[in-house]
Amino acid sequence: MRYVGLMSGTSADAVDAVLVEIGPDGRAQLLASHPHPFPADLQAAVHELSHADAINIDRLGELDTALAEVFAEAVRELLRQSGQTASGVRAIGSHGQTIRHRPQGQYPFTMQLGNPSLIAERTGITTVADFRRRDMAAGGHGAPLVPAFHAVQFRSPEHSRAILNLGGIANVTYLPAGLDQPVTGFDTGPANTLLDQWSRRQRGEHHDAGGEWAASGRVHDQLLSCLLDDPYFRVVPPKSTGREHFHLDWLEESMRRLGDHPPPQDVQATLLALSARSAAQAIHQFLPSVDEVYLCGGGCHNPQLVGSLRRELGAIPVRDTGALGLEPDWVEAVAFAWLAQRTLASETGNLPAVTGAQRPVILGGIYPGGLQNSGLRTED
């Protein structure tokens, strides 16, 4: 069974599109991948709405449609490059573009854009989307959702592993060696989001390539301590967070409290130290039995961040998921292809021990494509 997975993270720099085959054991094999770039104006609109206090409803609706057009284009290009026809794909699993995630409060909600009806119409392929809200309806945070996939793909009876995703936000999955022990996971805090935001503001660069700018600065210890004092880092899992919490106003407020504005490169070095230390501290504090860590996500390409993590984790070996058979750039996109398969099979996709939901639930909504792959009979 072949599926397409689509993932767009908080950086909104590209849509990760993958073609996968899922075997009888539930494990996924990556067949093809395509990083589809975001148009610059669309990326700017996503960043603006993700941090806006007030949102224009017309702009929200337009962005929902514009994102879906890009997602559909990413699918078509993936299929063209791989020589795969739409009729040979059972379904698309589309995460959508998160613009707000508020799991706390009287009325918790999460919002992802990228109209799945339009994706199904443009591609002719049944599309499964809106994965997070069903878990939230069951009392969960709606995130992280990939640990269930990690458990099938990466679990070992010999080693207690942590899979650490270094996306915009860092999230960790704990895969205990004892198969009778539950899989757990949570968001540890920022990974790339603050690094990217600060780089854009100070240098007009979308990211700090290779962490070279951060390496030119020095960690400001007082600022790092102030940032690490944020209450989120002390919250006991399950927990999740996002760009709504970790943004540049949050950073600026810490600098105002200190009465100090370090040189921009020192701030970048401090933000990198924050990402590494908060993730490592979370592993040491909440997952003390971990004996190996595997990385995935865009942060794997930042040697300064990876090196800092290795120092913070001490004797725990750190590799990337390529050592386990799945390249780190594509893990999350593959996970949403896998979740689409679960939904169509009427199988649950969340882990209550991870999200805090009251029970396992079937995730997402199904938007039929052409009759040839929608699962519907022609007479229907």
Side-chain angles (χ1 to χ4, degrees), residues 97-139:
Q97 179 65 54
T98 299
I99 63 163
R100 198 72 93 239
H101 183 68
R102 301 287 194 195
Q104 307 291 352
Q106 183 178 1
Y107 299 107
F109 74 95
T110 188
M111 183 177 292
Q112 288 75 40
L113 299 185
N115 182 357
S117 292
L118 193 149
I119 298 172
E121 186 65 23
R122 293 288 187 267
T123 63
I125 302 171
T126 294
T127 299
V128 184
D130 193 23
F131 291 94
R132 299 191 180 278
R133 292 201 294 177
R134 186 58 186 271
D135 178 85
M136 195 168 276

Side-chain angles (χ1 to χ4, degrees), residues 287-310:
L287 309 176
S289 299
V290 164
D291 54 48
E292 53 185 26
V293 172
Y294 290 88
L295 306 178
C296 58
C300 290
H301 301 296
N302 185 332
Q304 300 299 325
L305 178 58
V306 173
S308 183
L309 263 170
R310 284 197 167 105

Side-chain angles (χ1 to χ4, degrees), residues 128 130-145 148 338-353 355-365:
V128 184
D130 193 23
F131 291 94
R132 299 191 180 278
R133 292 201 294 177
R134 186 58 186 271
D135 178 85
M136 195 168 276
H141 280 243
L145 294 182
W338 182 86
L339 284 169
Q341 187 271 336
R342 298 282 295 180
T343 300
L344 292 178
S346 298
E347 299 283 352
T348 60
N350 65 328
L351 294 177
T355 67
Q358 296 169 0
R359 63 187 182 91
V361 291
I362 301 169
L363 302 174

Side-chain angles (χ1 to χ4, degrees), residues 15 38-39 41-42 45-46 59-73 113-115 118-119:
V15 182
F38 261 48
D41 59 339
L42 194 60
V46 168
R59 190 71 186 101
L60 187 70
E62 291 168 357
L63 186 59
D64 188 38
T65 298
L67 284 165
E69 295 283 10
V70 172
F71 293 161
E73 185 180 335
L113 299 185
N115 182 357
L118 193 149
I119 298 172

Side-chain angles (χ1 to χ4, degrees), residues 10 166-170 190-197 275 297-300 302 305:
T10 55
L166 299 174
I169 297 296
N192 300 312
T193 184
L194 288 170
L195 293 167
D196 292 348
Q197 291 177 59
S275 295
C300 290
N302 185 332
L305 178 58

